[in-house]
């Protein structure tokens, strides 16, 4: 970033995102494997950037150990030797340690706070029935990191929130409270694009739920994630891209801007996006 009030982000594919803030480079969900590590179930494009092309990474944040959140080979190819790795469960921690590149692996739960230089990283509530999961709120402290972490709202400095995989908000009530308590300039809405065709309500959050969270977090922009992933032909009879109910836009059909709320930026993977923090009343 060129100034303390600016940050950059790069969508690599699906929920894999590189974030630059406060002179630090983070990668969320380092998954570069074919089919997100589950070929035959998911169809995903090639990553916009290979692990070797990302340069030095200062921290690795994993939202879920499920396909799309982490792959051993992609992680091993990152220039992230000795970088701390935050994961949502013990199984993923064991996978990271097995690769043998760092001993700095920590299992985090919603509400846990980790300092990284001038950054404060807070785990947020997530999960949609596929095991343990978290989101990550990343903010630049403008004063003492400890005091900033206790305050928790990101006041004064730029902040970004990668929601991790979310169920609909009528299920994920904790996510709404987290949004109110943690201001973010940009929300990365990690809504998986697939749900059950039959057998009950969809288990994934639609875009308008993510927009509601963004409004509660006083965000200026939402970047949808996961819209480039589809269902493999062999699975079409079981899984299907989530159909939107009337008035509830999907990630694929969302407009590029919404009146009276955060702007939706549907940027192509491989494009660096920059954001700044303006004074707030």
């Amino acid at each position: 970033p060129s100034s303390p009030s600016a940050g950059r982000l790069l969508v690599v594919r699906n929920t894999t995102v590189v974030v630059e803030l406060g002179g630090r480079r983070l990668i969320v969900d380092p998954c570069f494997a074919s089919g997100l590590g589950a070929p035959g179930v998911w169809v995903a494009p090639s990553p916009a950037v290979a692990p070797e092309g990302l340069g030095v990474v200062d921290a690795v944040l994993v939202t879920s150990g499920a396909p799309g959140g982490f792959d051993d080979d992609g992680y091993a190819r990152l220039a992230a030797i000795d970088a701390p790795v935050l994961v949502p469960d013990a199984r993923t921690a064991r996978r990271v340690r097995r690769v043998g590149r760092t001993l700095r692996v920590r299992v985090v739960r919603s509400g846990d706070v980790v300092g990284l230089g001038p950054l404060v990283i807070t785990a947020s509530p997530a999960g949609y029935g596929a095991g343990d999961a978290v989101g990550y709120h990343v903010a630049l402290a403008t004063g003492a990191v400890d005091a900033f972490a206790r305050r928790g709202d990101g006041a004064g400095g730029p902040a970004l929130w990668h929601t991790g995989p979310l169920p609909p908000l009528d299920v994920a009530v904790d996510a709404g409270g987290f949004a109110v308590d943690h201001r973010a300039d940009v929300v990365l809405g990690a809504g998986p694009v697939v749900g059950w065709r039959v057998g009950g309500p969809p288990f994934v959050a639609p875009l308008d739920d993510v927009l509601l969270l963004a409004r509660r977090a006083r965000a200026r922009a939402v970047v949808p994630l996961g819209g480039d992933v589809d269902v493999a032909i062999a699975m079409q009879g079981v899984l299907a891209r989530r159909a939107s109910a009337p008035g509830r836009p999907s990630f694929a059909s969302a407009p590029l801007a919404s009146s009276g709320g955060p702007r939706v930026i549907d940027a192509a993977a491989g494009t660096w996006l920059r954001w700044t923090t303006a004074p707030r009343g």
Side-chain angles (χ1 to χ4, degrees), residues 230-257:
D230 213 335
V231 184
I233 294 176
M235 299 297 293
Q236 290 285 356
V238 180
L239 297 170
R241 191 178 289 272
R242 197 186 92 78
S244 297
R248 297 173 71 85
S250 69
F251 277 73
S253 65
L256 293 182

Side-chain angles (χ1 to χ4, degrees), residues 44-149:
S46 298
V49 184
E52 299 86 351
L54 293 177
V56 176
V57 174
D58 297 295
V60 180
L61 315 179
V62 181
T63 68
S64 170
F70 181 82
D71 81 82
D72 305 65
D73 178 67
Y75 168 71
R77 290 157 57 197
L78 286 171
I81 296 176
D82 291 332
V85 184
L86 307 185
V87 299
D89 57 69
R91 179 176 179 272
T92 307
R94 289 193 295 271
R95 291 174 62 186
V96 174
R97 293 189 178 102
R98 188 166 60 243
V99 176
R101 293 173 64 86
T102 181
L103 298 178
R104 301 171 65 188
V105 186
R106 174 173 172 177
V107 176
V108 293
R109 305 297 186 197
S110 175
D112 287 352
V113 179
V114 177
L116 178 69
L119 301 183
V120 176
I121 303 170
T122 307
S124 64
Y128 57 91
D132 294 325
V134 293
Y136 293 98
H137 180 276
V138 181
L140 178 64
T142 55
V145 170
D146 289 345
F148 179 97

